Amino acid sequence: MNSKDFYGINFPMNIAKTHKILKKYYNSQRFQEICVLNTFQGIEEIAGQKTKIKVQNAGLNKIHNYFPVEHLPFLQNFLEKKLNNIIFSQIYMVAKKNLKIKNNFYIDKSLNIRIHYPFEVEKKSKLTRQIYRSINLNNFKEAEKEMIKAKKKSLSYILDNNDKSKIEYFNTINESVCLHSPHRDTWFGHSTEGINLWWAITPAREHNGLMLFKDVYKFNLEHEIRPAYVKNKYNLGKTTIPNVEAGELLIFDPEILHASRLNTSDDTRIVISGRINEKKPKFYGYSKENKEPFWLFSEDVKNKIFNKEFIFKREKKNIVKIKKNKLKNKIKSINLKVKLLPKNKYKLCQTKLIKNLKKVEINFENFKIGLIKKNSKFYAFNRICPHLKFNLLNTEGEKNHVICPGHGLKFNYLNGNSTCKKFKIKTYQVLTQKGNCYLKT
Ligand code: FES
Ligand SMILES: [Fe+2]
Protein backbone atom coordinates (compact mmCIF):
# COMPACT_ATOMS: atom_id res chain seq x y z
CA MET A 1 0.00 0.00 0.00
CA ASN A 2 1.13 3.51 -0.71
CA SER A 3 2.11 5.09 2.57
CA LYS A 4 1.44 8.61 1.34
CA ASP A 5 -1.86 10.24 2.01
CA PHE A 6 -3.32 12.79 -0.30
CA TYR A 7 -1.52 15.67 1.42
CA GLY A 8 1.77 14.01 0.63
CA ILE A 9 2.59 13.28 4.27
CA ASN A 10 3.99 9.92 5.32
CA PHE A 11 1.99 8.29 8.06
CA PRO A 12 3.72 5.88 10.38
CA MET A 13 2.52 2.31 9.91
CA ASN A 14 0.92 3.32 6.58
CA ILE A 15 -2.10 4.53 8.48
CA ALA A 16 -3.56 6.51 5.56
CA LYS A 17 -6.82 4.95 4.46
CA THR A 18 -6.35 2.06 6.81
CA HIS A 19 -6.76 0.71 10.29
CA LYS A 20 -4.66 -1.59 12.41
CA ILE A 21 -5.37 -3.41 15.64
CA LEU A 22 -2.56 -3.60 18.17
CA LYS A 23 -3.18 -6.54 20.46
CA LYS A 24 -0.09 -5.70 22.46
CA TYR A 25 1.48 -2.30 22.79
CA TYR A 26 3.51 -0.40 25.34
CA ASN A 27 2.33 -1.31 28.86
CA SER A 28 -0.92 -2.68 27.41
CA GLN A 29 -1.92 -4.96 30.23
CA ARG A 30 -1.29 -2.38 32.94
CA PHE A 31 -3.07 0.36 31.03
CA GLN A 32 -6.17 -1.81 30.61
CA GLU A 33 -6.08 -2.70 34.32
CA ILE A 34 -5.92 0.97 35.29
CA CYS A 35 -8.88 1.83 33.07
CA VAL A 36 -10.96 -1.05 34.44
CA LEU A 37 -10.04 -0.34 38.08
CA ASN A 38 -10.98 3.30 37.74
CA THR A 39 -14.28 2.39 36.11
CA PHE A 40 -15.12 0.18 39.09
CA GLN A 41 -14.12 2.95 41.45
CA GLY A 42 -16.40 5.36 39.57
CA ILE A 43 -19.29 2.89 39.74
CA GLU A 44 -18.82 2.58 43.49
CA GLU A 45 -18.66 6.32 44.07
CA ILE A 46 -21.79 6.99 42.03
CA ALA A 47 -23.97 3.94 42.66
CA GLY A 48 -22.49 2.34 45.78
CA GLN A 49 -20.45 -0.68 46.69
CA LYS A 50 -23.22 -3.24 46.10
CA THR A 51 -23.60 -2.16 42.48
CA LYS A 52 -19.88 -2.28 41.99
CA ILE A 53 -19.69 -5.85 43.29
CA LYS A 54 -22.54 -6.93 41.01
CA VAL A 55 -20.78 -5.47 37.98
CA GLN A 56 -17.47 -7.01 39.03
CA ASN A 57 -19.11 -10.42 39.22
CA ALA A 58 -20.93 -10.11 35.92
CA GLY A 59 -18.12 -8.37 34.00
CA LEU A 60 -17.78 -4.77 32.90
CA ASN A 61 -19.48 -5.50 29.57
CA LYS A 62 -22.67 -6.28 31.57
CA ILE A 63 -22.65 -2.99 33.48
CA HIS A 64 -25.97 -2.04 31.81
CA ASN A 65 -27.78 -4.63 33.94
CA TYR A 66 -26.85 -2.85 37.17
CA PHE A 67 -25.80 0.76 36.63
CA PRO A 68 -28.58 3.19 35.54
CA VAL A 69 -28.19 4.53 32.02
CA GLU A 70 -29.02 8.05 33.25
CA HIS A 71 -25.91 8.01 35.43
CA LEU A 72 -23.50 7.33 32.60
CA PRO A 73 -22.52 10.97 32.06
CA PHE A 74 -21.40 11.09 35.71
CA LEU A 75 -19.26 8.02 35.17
CA GLN A 76 -17.81 9.37 31.93
CA ASN A 77 -16.98 12.63 33.63
CA PHE A 78 -15.41 10.81 36.59
CA LEU A 79 -13.22 8.77 34.25
CA GLU A 80 -12.19 11.73 32.16
CA LYS A 81 -10.99 13.52 35.28
CA LYS A 82 -9.20 10.49 36.72
CA LEU A 83 -7.66 9.17 33.55
CA ASN A 84 -6.87 12.20 31.38
CA ASN A 85 -3.19 12.53 32.22
CA ILE A 86 -2.68 8.78 32.32
CA ILE A 87 -4.13 8.57 28.82
CA PHE A 88 -1.95 11.42 27.53
CA SER A 89 1.15 9.65 28.83
CA GLN A 90 -0.05 6.40 27.32
CA ILE A 91 -0.63 8.08 23.94
CA TYR A 92 2.87 9.52 24.12
CA MET A 93 4.45 6.13 24.82
CA VAL A 94 2.44 4.31 22.14
CA ALA A 95 3.37 6.98 19.60
CA LYS A 96 7.04 6.59 20.42
CA LYS A 97 7.33 2.86 21.05
CA ASN A 98 4.72 1.38 18.74
CA LEU A 99 4.03 3.94 16.03
CA LYS A 100 7.74 4.80 16.01
CA ILE A 101 7.21 8.51 15.63
CA LYS A 102 10.68 9.98 15.80
CA ASN A 103 10.06 13.71 15.95
CA ASN A 104 8.05 15.79 18.36
CA PHE A 105 4.31 15.83 17.80
CA TYR A 106 1.02 17.15 19.19
CA ILE A 107 -1.63 15.40 21.26
CA ASP A 108 -5.23 16.57 21.05
CA LYS A 109 -6.48 17.62 24.49
CA SER A 110 -10.05 16.63 23.75
CA LEU A 111 -10.18 12.97 24.71
CA ASN A 112 -13.32 10.91 24.59
CA ILE A 113 -14.52 8.25 26.95
CA ARG A 114 -17.73 6.79 25.58
CA ILE A 115 -19.97 4.17 27.09
CA HIS A 116 -22.58 2.65 24.77
CA TYR A 117 -25.19 0.48 26.41
CA PRO A 118 -27.14 -2.02 24.29
CA PHE A 119 -29.80 -0.10 22.37
CA GLU A 120 -32.71 -1.80 24.13
CA VAL A 121 -31.45 -0.46 27.47
CA GLU A 122 -30.25 2.90 26.19
CA LYS A 123 -33.52 3.80 24.58
CA LYS A 124 -35.28 3.72 27.95
CA SER A 125 -33.14 6.55 29.24
CA LYS A 126 -34.99 9.68 30.27
CA LEU A 127 -31.92 11.84 30.17
CA THR A 128 -32.80 14.60 27.74
CA ARG A 129 -30.22 17.05 26.54
CA GLN A 130 -31.82 19.78 28.67
CA ILE A 131 -31.49 17.75 31.83
CA TYR A 132 -27.96 16.77 30.89
CA ARG A 133 -27.01 20.40 30.38
CA SER A 134 -28.49 21.33 33.74
CA ILE A 135 -26.73 18.80 35.93
CA ASN A 136 -23.47 19.25 37.71
CA LEU A 137 -21.48 16.25 36.51
CA ASN A 138 -19.03 16.59 39.36
CA ASN A 139 -21.75 16.03 41.88
CA PHE A 140 -21.75 12.29 41.25
CA LYS A 141 -22.26 11.39 44.87
CA GLU A 142 -25.65 13.03 44.64
CA ALA A 143 -26.36 11.84 41.11
CA GLU A 144 -29.98 10.90 41.76
CA LYS A 145 -30.85 14.16 43.52
CA GLU A 146 -28.97 16.15 40.92
CA MET A 147 -31.13 14.60 38.16
CA ILE A 148 -34.40 15.32 39.98
CA LYS A 149 -33.30 18.89 40.62
CA ALA A 150 -32.34 19.32 36.95
CA LYS A 151 -35.66 17.94 35.74
CA LYS A 152 -37.49 20.63 37.65
CA LYS A 153 -35.44 23.51 36.29
CA SER A 154 -34.78 22.05 32.85
CA LEU A 155 -37.36 24.15 31.03
CA SER A 156 -35.49 27.32 31.88
CA TYR A 157 -32.25 26.01 30.40
CA ILE A 158 -31.38 27.53 27.04
CA LEU A 159 -29.80 25.11 24.59
CA ASP A 160 -27.19 26.31 22.12
CA ASN A 161 -27.31 25.85 18.34
CA ASN A 162 -25.26 22.69 18.52
CA ASP A 163 -27.74 21.15 20.92
CA LYS A 164 -30.70 22.25 18.84
CA SER A 165 -29.37 20.83 15.58
CA LYS A 166 -28.55 17.55 17.30
CA ILE A 167 -32.04 17.27 18.74
CA GLU A 168 -33.48 17.96 15.30
CA TYR A 169 -31.22 15.39 13.65
CA PHE A 170 -31.89 12.64 16.15
CA ASN A 171 -35.51 13.63 16.71
CA THR A 172 -34.96 13.56 20.36
CA ILE A 173 -31.70 13.19 22.12
CA ASN A 174 -31.09 11.12 25.04
CA GLU A 175 -27.68 11.97 26.28
CA SER A 176 -26.48 8.47 26.92
CA VAL A 177 -26.89 7.57 23.28
CA CYS A 178 -23.76 9.06 21.76
CA LEU A 179 -24.32 7.37 18.46
CA HIS A 180 -22.40 8.82 15.52
CA SER A 181 -23.66 8.72 11.94
CA PRO A 182 -21.00 8.47 9.21
CA HIS A 183 -18.52 11.35 9.35
CA ARG A 184 -14.91 12.31 8.90
CA ASP A 185 -13.34 13.87 11.96
CA THR A 186 -12.24 16.94 10.02
CA TRP A 187 -15.92 17.73 9.39
CA PHE A 188 -16.27 18.00 13.16
CA GLY A 189 -13.47 20.54 13.36
CA HIS A 190 -10.62 18.17 14.15
CA SER A 191 -7.27 18.48 12.44
CA THR A 192 -6.25 17.00 9.12
CA GLU A 193 -3.37 14.51 9.04
CA GLY A 194 -4.33 13.08 12.41
CA ILE A 195 -3.98 9.57 13.73
CA ASN A 196 -6.78 8.21 15.91
CA LEU A 197 -6.11 5.90 18.84
CA TRP A 198 -9.19 3.99 19.93
CA TRP A 199 -8.97 1.70 22.98
CA ALA A 200 -11.64 -0.89 23.60
CA ILE A 201 -11.97 -1.29 27.35
CA THR A 202 -14.72 -3.83 26.74
CA PRO A 203 -15.01 -5.70 23.41
CA ALA A 204 -16.23 -3.82 20.33
CA ARG A 205 -17.38 -6.29 17.71
CA GLU A 206 -19.78 -6.82 14.84
CA HIS A 207 -22.93 -5.67 16.68
CA ASN A 208 -21.51 -2.83 18.79
CA GLY A 209 -18.29 -1.72 17.10
CA LEU A 210 -16.97 1.02 14.88
CA MET A 211 -18.04 1.07 11.23
CA LEU A 212 -15.47 2.09 8.64
CA PHE A 213 -16.34 2.99 5.03
CA LYS A 214 -13.05 2.66 3.21
CA ASP A 215 -14.49 2.58 -0.31
CA VAL A 216 -15.31 6.29 -0.20
CA TYR A 217 -11.98 7.51 1.13
CA LYS A 218 -10.92 10.65 -0.78
CA PHE A 219 -14.32 10.98 -2.41
CA ASN A 220 -16.19 14.20 -2.48
CA LEU A 221 -19.04 13.69 -0.03
CA GLU A 222 -21.22 16.52 1.23
CA HIS A 223 -22.18 16.62 4.87
CA GLU A 224 -24.91 18.21 6.93
CA ILE A 225 -23.97 21.56 8.41
CA ARG A 226 -24.55 20.46 11.97
CA PRO A 227 -24.20 17.77 13.16
CA ALA A 228 -21.68 17.27 10.38
CA TYR A 229 -22.77 13.79 9.32
CA VAL A 230 -22.69 12.62 5.71
CA LYS A 231 -25.71 13.55 3.62
CA ASN A 232 -28.03 10.66 3.13
CA LYS A 233 -27.56 10.33 -0.61
CA TYR A 234 -24.40 8.38 -1.36
CA ASN A 235 -23.63 4.80 -2.00
CA LEU A 236 -20.94 4.21 0.63
CA GLY A 237 -19.84 0.77 -0.52
CA LYS A 238 -18.60 -1.93 1.79
CA THR A 239 -18.68 -1.52 5.56
CA THR A 240 -15.97 -2.90 7.83
CA ILE A 241 -16.36 -3.40 11.57
CA PRO A 242 -13.06 -4.44 13.12
CA ASN A 243 -13.22 -6.88 16.03
CA VAL A 244 -11.45 -5.07 18.85
CA GLU A 245 -11.17 -7.14 22.01
CA ALA A 246 -10.90 -5.72 25.54
CA GLY A 247 -7.57 -3.98 26.00
CA GLU A 248 -6.75 -3.87 22.30
CA LEU A 249 -5.95 -0.66 20.52
CA LEU A 250 -7.37 0.29 17.15
CA ILE A 251 -5.36 2.83 15.18
CA PHE A 252 -7.12 4.44 12.24
CA ASP A 253 -7.00 7.31 9.84
CA PRO A 254 -9.71 9.78 10.97
CA GLU A 255 -10.35 10.70 7.34
CA ILE A 256 -11.94 7.32 6.74
CA LEU A 257 -15.66 7.89 6.95
CA HIS A 258 -16.75 6.18 10.17
CA ALA A 259 -19.82 5.70 12.37
CA SER A 260 -20.97 3.96 15.53
CA ARG A 261 -22.77 0.67 15.11
CA LEU A 262 -26.18 0.73 16.78
CA ASN A 263 -25.50 -1.54 19.72
CA THR A 264 -27.70 -4.57 19.14
CA SER A 265 -25.41 -6.86 21.12
CA ASP A 266 -25.88 -7.71 24.78
CA ASP A 267 -22.59 -6.05 25.68
CA THR A 268 -21.79 -2.53 26.73
CA ARG A 269 -19.05 -0.96 24.69
CA ILE A 270 -16.57 1.22 26.59
CA VAL A 271 -14.06 3.07 24.46
CA ILE A 272 -11.37 5.66 25.09
CA SER A 273 -10.17 7.63 22.12
CA GLY A 274 -7.46 10.19 21.48
CA ARG A 275 -5.67 11.79 18.56
CA ILE A 276 -2.17 12.85 17.61
CA ASN A 277 -0.78 15.06 14.88
CA GLU A 278 2.76 14.73 13.69
CA LYS A 279 2.77 18.26 12.35
CA LYS A 280 1.17 21.49 13.50
CA PRO A 281 -2.57 20.86 13.23
CA LYS A 282 -4.30 22.21 10.14
CA PHE A 283 -7.99 22.16 9.36
CA TYR A 284 -10.66 21.67 6.78
CA GLY A 285 -12.53 24.92 6.23
CA TYR A 286 -16.21 24.05 5.96
CA SER A 287 -16.95 22.92 9.46
CA LYS A 288 -19.51 24.76 11.52
CA GLU A 289 -18.98 22.50 14.49
CA ASN A 290 -17.48 23.85 17.69
CA LYS A 291 -13.74 24.32 17.71
CA GLU A 292 -11.58 22.12 19.89
CA PRO A 293 -8.34 24.08 19.64
CA PHE A 294 -6.28 22.79 22.59
CA TRP A 295 -3.24 20.63 22.10
CA LEU A 296 -0.37 19.30 24.18
CA PHE A 297 3.19 19.03 22.96
CA SER A 298 4.84 15.62 23.10
CA GLU A 299 7.93 16.76 25.02
CA ASP A 300 5.73 18.33 27.71
CA VAL A 301 3.73 15.15 28.10
CA LYS A 302 6.95 13.19 28.35
CA ASN A 303 7.93 15.49 31.24
CA LYS A 304 4.46 15.15 32.81
CA ILE A 305 3.51 18.73 32.05
CA PHE A 306 -0.17 18.61 31.23
CA ASN A 307 -1.23 22.21 31.74
CA LYS A 308 0.71 23.84 28.93
CA GLU A 309 -1.72 24.20 26.07
CA PHE A 310 -1.06 25.05 22.46
CA ILE A 311 -3.94 26.62 20.63
CA PHE A 312 -4.54 25.84 16.98
CA LYS A 313 -7.81 27.29 15.83
CA ARG A 314 -9.50 26.74 12.55
CA GLU A 315 -8.76 29.97 10.75
CA LYS A 316 -7.85 31.12 7.25
CA LYS A 317 -4.13 30.64 7.57
CA ASN A 318 -4.30 26.97 8.51
CA ILE A 319 -7.10 25.74 6.26
CA VAL A 320 -6.07 22.94 3.94
CA LYS A 321 -7.59 22.48 0.50
CA ILE A 322 -8.39 18.83 0.06
CA LYS A 323 -8.44 17.42 -3.43
CA LYS A 324 -11.23 14.91 -3.80
CA ASN A 325 -12.57 12.55 -6.41
CA LYS A 326 -16.07 12.57 -7.78
CA LEU A 327 -18.25 9.69 -6.73
CA LYS A 328 -19.98 7.96 -9.63
CA ASN A 329 -22.02 5.15 -8.25
CA LYS A 330 -25.55 6.33 -8.54
CA ILE A 331 -28.31 3.76 -8.34
CA LYS A 332 -31.01 3.83 -11.02
CA SER A 333 -34.29 5.38 -9.83
CA ILE A 334 -37.77 4.93 -11.24
CA ASN A 335 -40.38 7.48 -10.20
CA LEU A 336 -44.04 6.52 -10.22
CA LYS A 337 -46.72 9.13 -9.84
CA VAL A 338 -48.99 6.95 -7.72
CA LYS A 339 -49.43 6.12 -4.08
CA LEU A 340 -48.50 2.70 -2.82
CA LEU A 341 -51.58 1.13 -1.21
CA PRO A 342 -52.18 -2.27 0.36
CA LYS A 343 -53.51 -5.20 -1.68
CA ASN A 344 -52.59 -3.75 -5.01
CA LYS A 345 -50.43 -4.54 -7.98
CA TYR A 346 -48.25 -1.91 -9.68
CA LYS A 347 -46.46 -1.99 -12.96
CA LEU A 348 -42.89 -0.78 -12.32
CA CYS A 349 -41.22 -0.90 -15.71
CA GLN A 350 -40.28 -3.18 -18.59
CA THR A 351 -38.15 -6.02 -17.29
CA LYS A 352 -35.43 -5.41 -19.88
CA LEU A 353 -34.80 -1.95 -18.38
CA ILE A 354 -33.54 -3.36 -15.11
CA LYS A 355 -32.61 -6.95 -15.84
CA ASN A 356 -28.87 -6.21 -15.81
CA LEU A 357 -28.97 -4.17 -12.62
CA LYS A 358 -28.28 -5.36 -9.11
CA LYS A 359 -30.20 -2.61 -7.33
CA VAL A 360 -33.05 -0.28 -8.28
CA GLU A 361 -34.81 2.49 -6.40
CA ILE A 362 -38.56 2.78 -6.93
CA ASN A 363 -40.12 6.00 -5.71
CA PHE A 364 -43.84 6.00 -5.09
CA GLU A 365 -45.48 9.23 -3.96
CA ASN A 366 -45.66 7.96 -0.39
CA PHE A 367 -43.01 5.21 -0.16
CA LYS A 368 -39.46 4.59 -1.21
CA ILE A 369 -38.89 1.02 -2.24
CA GLY A 370 -35.65 -0.81 -2.98
CA LEU A 371 -35.18 -3.75 -5.33
CA ILE A 372 -32.28 -6.14 -5.02
CA LYS A 373 -31.51 -8.89 -7.46
CA LYS A 374 -30.44 -12.29 -6.22
CA ASN A 375 -30.15 -15.36 -8.46
CA SER A 376 -31.91 -13.48 -11.31
CA LYS A 377 -34.88 -12.68 -9.09
CA PHE A 378 -35.78 -9.27 -7.64
CA TYR A 379 -36.76 -8.73 -4.01
CA ALA A 380 -38.55 -5.57 -2.90
CA PHE A 381 -38.62 -3.82 0.47
CA ASN A 382 -39.06 -0.45 2.08
CA ARG A 383 -35.59 1.03 1.65
CA ILE A 384 -35.78 3.74 4.33
CA CYS A 385 -34.23 2.65 7.61
CA PRO A 386 -36.77 2.93 10.43
CA HIS A 387 -34.03 4.12 12.78
CA LEU A 388 -32.87 7.43 11.26
CA LYS A 389 -34.02 7.13 7.66
CA PHE A 390 -30.78 6.27 5.85
CA ASN A 391 -31.21 4.59 2.46
CA LEU A 392 -30.71 0.85 2.90
CA LEU A 393 -29.54 0.39 -0.68
CA ASN A 394 -26.53 2.57 -0.05
CA THR A 395 -24.02 -0.02 1.13
CA GLU A 396 -22.93 -3.38 -0.09
CA GLY A 397 -25.15 -5.93 1.66
CA GLU A 398 -24.46 -9.57 2.42
CA LYS A 399 -26.33 -12.89 2.25
CA ASN A 400 -30.00 -11.83 1.92
CA HIS A 401 -29.31 -8.73 4.00
CA VAL A 402 -29.01 -5.03 3.40
CA ILE A 403 -26.80 -3.09 5.80
CA CYS A 404 -27.84 0.38 6.86
CA PRO A 405 -25.17 3.00 6.11
CA GLY A 406 -26.35 5.02 9.13
CA HIS A 407 -25.47 2.74 12.03
CA GLY A 408 -25.11 -0.69 10.54
CA LEU A 409 -28.45 -2.40 11.28
CA LYS A 410 -28.82 -5.46 9.07
CA PHE A 411 -32.20 -6.20 7.54
CA ASN A 412 -33.14 -9.47 5.91
CA TYR A 413 -34.84 -8.40 2.69
CA LEU A 414 -36.68 -11.73 2.40
CA ASN A 415 -38.66 -11.25 5.62
CA GLY A 416 -37.91 -7.67 6.75
CA ASN A 417 -36.43 -8.60 10.14
CA SER A 418 -33.34 -6.99 11.64
CA THR A 419 -31.08 -7.88 14.55
CA CYS A 420 -33.09 -5.45 16.67
CA LYS A 421 -36.64 -6.36 17.69
CA LYS A 422 -37.79 -2.77 17.42
CA PHE A 423 -36.81 -2.30 13.78
CA LYS A 424 -38.38 -4.10 10.83
CA ILE A 425 -38.98 -3.20 7.21
CA LYS A 426 -41.88 -4.14 5.00
CA THR A 427 -41.17 -6.51 2.12
CA TYR A 428 -43.13 -6.98 -1.13
CA GLN A 429 -43.45 -9.50 -3.89
CA VAL A 430 -41.97 -8.75 -7.32
CA LEU A 431 -43.49 -10.45 -10.38
CA THR A 432 -42.38 -10.50 -13.99
CA GLN A 433 -45.14 -11.05 -16.52
CA LYS A 434 -45.11 -10.56 -20.28
CA GLY A 435 -41.94 -8.49 -20.29
CA ASN A 436 -42.99 -6.23 -17.43
CA CYS A 437 -42.03 -6.01 -13.81
CA TYR A 438 -44.75 -5.67 -11.13
CA LEU A 439 -44.84 -5.02 -7.40
CA LYS A 440 -47.53 -6.73 -5.34
CA THR A 441 -48.51 -5.28 -1.96
S1 FES B 1 -29.26 2.04 11.65
FE1 FES B 1 -29.40 4.15 12.06
S2 FES B 1 -30.29 4.94 10.30
FE2 FES B 1 -30.26 2.82 9.95
FE1 LIG C 1 -15.08 10.31 14.68
Side-chain angles (χ1 to χ4, degrees), residues 127-245:
L127 186 61
T128 63
R129 176 107 334 184
Q130 277 192 322
I131 298 173
Y132 170 69
R133 290 291 189 208
S134 312
I135 49 183
N136 173 6
L137 291 174
N138 294 323
N139 201 3
F140 51 78
K141 286 198 178 138
E142 303 279 334
E144 203 62 59
K145 285 185 201 155
E146 189 71 21
M147 302 269 310
I148 295 167
K149 205 172 80 194
K151 237 179 227 173
K152 285 186 188 153
K153 67 172 187 187
S154 67
L155 287 177
S156 62
Y157 187 84
I158 298 167
L159 296 172
D160 68 13
N161 285 340
N162 246 338
D163 288 323
K164 284 184 195 153
S165 39
K166 272 200 174 162
I167 291 170
E168 209 176 302
Y169 184 89
F170 288 104
N171 258 325
T172 155
I173 184 164
N174 140 349
E175 194 49 43
S176 318
V177 187
C178 317
L179 201 67
H180 274 304
S181 296
H183 66 282
R184 292 177 180 141
D185 285 354
T186 49
W187 296 351
F188 273 82
H190 296 293
S191 57
T192 58
E193 303 172 336
I195 300 172
N196 276 6
L197 291 88
W198 198 91
W199 273 278
I201 305 305
T202 57
R205 304 185 184 129
E206 187 186 352
H207 297 287
N208 67 350
L210 176 80
M211 299 170 71
L212 299 168
F213 303 85
K214 292 183 174 185
D215 288 353
V216 289
Y217 190 74
K218 270 197 193 187
F219 282 96
N220 192 10
L221 304 173
E222 286 177 45
H223 57 83
E224 304 291 344
I225 295 173
R226 218 174 23 214
Y229 296 131
V230 73
K231 288 207 169 176
N232 179 17
K233 61 178 186 178
Y234 301 107
N235 190 348
L236 301 178
K238 197 167 176 297
T239 56
T240 310
I241 301 181
N243 243 354
V244 195
E245 297 301 328

Side-chain angles (χ1 to χ4, degrees), residues 179 262 385-390 392 404-409 411:
L179 201 67
L262 189 89
C385 179
H387 177 226
L388 286 181
K389 299 190 171 44
F390 272 80
L392 296 172
C404 180
H407 316 93
L409 269 182
F411 293 89

